Amino acid sequence: MDSSHLTIRTLHTASEMDEAVALQRVYWGDNMADLVPAHMLLSMARYGGHIHAAFDNDTMVGLLMGFLGADITPNDTTNAPNNLYVMSKRMVVLPEYRGQKIGEHLKQAQRQFAQQHNIQLVLWTFDPLLSRNAYLNLHKLGAIGQKYEENYFGADASNPVLSADRLQVNWWVNHPSLNERLQVDASQIPVINAVSLSPEGLLVPNKLAIADADRLRLEIPMEFVPLERINPALGQQWRDTVREAFQQLFARGYLATDFARIENRVFYIFTRDDGSYTFQS
């Protein structure tokens, strides 16, 4: 498909927000409880957030929204403006336009928005078992996995898309690593979860064995969704394994710093925290 007419621009008008709601339905369906409504999108755009959209000529084909947040907790007396971030809420690209780096271009526009407003951090969450998302977020964009959330939207979320755990990634938009990624041979990094194959040829996780090393690898299935559909019990086994791995590694001071593709296999790369991925005053 010819992508020469694709452009990225911000949305500001009510009619544009109506079009953005229609685009969300492609992935999230028609239940309004699962959609960000037009009036909320308009409020985001007018009061400190942003709505970026990708267009093929005049047709909206991609969407990314974000709003301002702050790194504070209940009863925290920290000066919130010093710890502002952009919370990236949702990205949608029409199926026929996927594979053209539209998501990457939308995220780079979001990075520019943060930099223009002197904001250090963009953060969002995603299902850690979706390898394409992990590759975009950690490898191509350079975001860092720093927090793991069980049942992020609640154990009884109405939409199955919202029912699983989430990995929170932090995108430090001015961090040197975004421009100077370390060149590491991922194949030489110790793997913490040996795998085997089921009778159907599906990847099966084995017991975790976390070595004492500066970098570690965690393997996940290349295509988790069809695996889970074919064998739900195995899908749950992977959920449990990935949850345990992330929780243990984060507790031991590691960060998820990259995502590697090695032949037809995929791995998270964890690195010991050096303290540089945090708010700098």
Side-chain angles (χ1 to χ4, degrees), residues 55-73:
F55 288 85
D56 183 355
N57 292 318
D58 294 326
T59 302
M60 189 183 299
V61 300
L63 178 71
L64 175 64
M65 61 191 76
F67 56 88
L68 296 185
D71 188 28
I72 56 176
T73 57

Side-chain angles (χ1 to χ4, degrees), residues 9-72:
R9 65 175 186 260
T10 54
L11 306 185
H12 302 282
T13 69
S15 61
E16 288 174 326
M17 302 311 170
D18 289 336
E19 192 174 354
V21 172
L23 183 59
Q24 290 179 70
R25 288 191 171 98
V26 171
Y27 184 75
W28 293 93
D30 292 324
N31 185 352
M32 286 305 297
D34 297 324
L35 306 177
V36 182
H39 67 84
M40 185 62 69
L41 293 172
L42 197 59
S43 294
M44 285 186 196
R46 290 182 175 178
Y47 299 103
H50 72 83
I51 314 296
H52 281 96
F55 288 85
D56 183 355
N57 292 318
D58 294 326
T59 302
M60 189 183 299
V61 300
L63 178 71
L64 175 64
M65 61 191 76
F67 56 88
L68 296 185
D71 188 28
I72 56 176

Side-chain angles (χ1 to χ4, degrees), residues 86-222:
V86 175
M87 177 63 193
S88 185
K89 175 58 180 174
R90 176 166 293 176
M91 183 162 65
V92 181
V93 176
L94 288 179
E96 59 268 33
Y97 284 85
R98 291 171 189 166
Q100 299 187 53
K101 299 187 176 181
I102 292 175
E104 187 174 352
H105 291 316
L106 286 167
K107 295 300 293 186
Q108 292 298 344
Q110 187 175 61
R111 181 191 182 193
Q112 292 171 9
F113 171 86
Q115 290 174 324
Q116 288 166 1
H117 294 84
N118 200 28
I119 296 173
Q120 298 184 49
L121 175 64
V122 179
L123 68 82
W124 63 94
T125 65
F126 74 98
D127 184 340
L129 276 160
L130 298 183
S131 67
R132 287 183 177 85
N133 295 33
Y135 189 77
L136 170 63
N137 295 336
L138 275 68
H139 183 76
K140 300 186 76 173
L141 297 177
I144 303 296
Q146 294 187 257
K147 188 176 183 181
Y148 191 90
E149 296 274 4
E150 295 184 27
N151 299 318
Y152 185 78
F153 296 99
D156 299 319
S158 60
N159 192 317
V161 174
L162 300 174
S163 64
D165 296 355
R166 289 291 182 268
L167 176 63
Q168 177 184 305
V169 292
N170 293 347
W171 199 23
W172 299 94
V173 296
N174 296 314
H175 198 283
S177 68
L178 295 190
N179 300 317
E180 299 177 8
R181 302 299 300 278
L182 293 175
Q183 297 300 315
V184 177
D185 183 357
S187 66
Q188 301 303 308
I189 298 173
V191 179
I192 68 170
N193 62 325
V195 298
S196 56
L197 292 178
S198 73
E200 308 102 318
L202 303 175
L203 206 64
V204 177
N206 292 316
K207 186 176 180 180
L208 295 176
I210 300 178
D212 183 17
D214 289 338
R215 291 187 178 88
L216 297 168
R217 270 192 293 164
L218 170 70
E219 185 166 6
I220 67 169
M222 176 75 81

